[in-house]
Amino acid sequence: DDLLNIIRIVRQRGLPGDFPAVLFCRHESEMEQGKTTWPELVGKTGDEAESSIRASHPALRVQIMKEGSPCTRDYRPDRVRVFVDASGKVVNPPHCG
């Protein structure tokens, strides 16, 4: 909901430069569908999780990462990180960001 409010504000005010609008609006339709987290994938393999996410949201960038791996903290609505343990099982609900 917060992300959609940001999108609306950017569009209404016509803030300079279109990068923020492109960044936030690129996947607005997916965000409006309401699916931004996948708790049902915990315990599945990373590959199964990636396939499931891509099947329903093909425009999202899915990254499989080992639990505890260093990563950037920037928010990207088009990115889903899937954290897996040493056996390749999803340990936390994957989510957009």
Side-chain angles (χ1 to χ4, degrees):
D1 291 340
D2 291 336
L3 179 59
L4 293 177
N5 288 333
I6 291 170
I7 292 167
R8 288 183 188 99
I9 291 169
V10 168
R11 285 183 175 168
Q12 288 170 354
R13 295 184 184 171
L15 299 175
D18 63 351
F19 178 73
V22 169
L23 176 66
F24 286 106
C25 297
R26 182 173 173 198
H27 301 287
E28 180 179 357
S29 63
E30 290 172 351
M31 299 305 245
E32 287 175 348
Q33 290 175 7
K35 188 72 168 175
T36 59
T37 186
W38 292 265
E40 70 277 9
L41 298 178
V42 173
K44 304 271 187 190
T45 67
D47 291 336
E48 289 171 328
E50 180 180 12
S51 295
S52 177
I53 294 167
R54 286 182 192 259
S56 60
H57 295 79
L60 292 177
R61 297 174 46 151
V62 181
Q63 299 174 334
I64 299 176
M65 302 181 72
K66 291 185 180 178
E67 182 179 25
S69 294
C71 57
T72 60
R73 297 181 57 123
D74 59 322
Y75 181 81
R76 299 207 34 177
D78 65 332
R79 176 181 61 208
V80 178
R81 288 187 174 138
V82 178
F83 289 95
V84 297
D85 61 16
S87 66
K89 301 288 185 178
V90 177
V91 292
N92 298 313
H95 58 88
C96 291

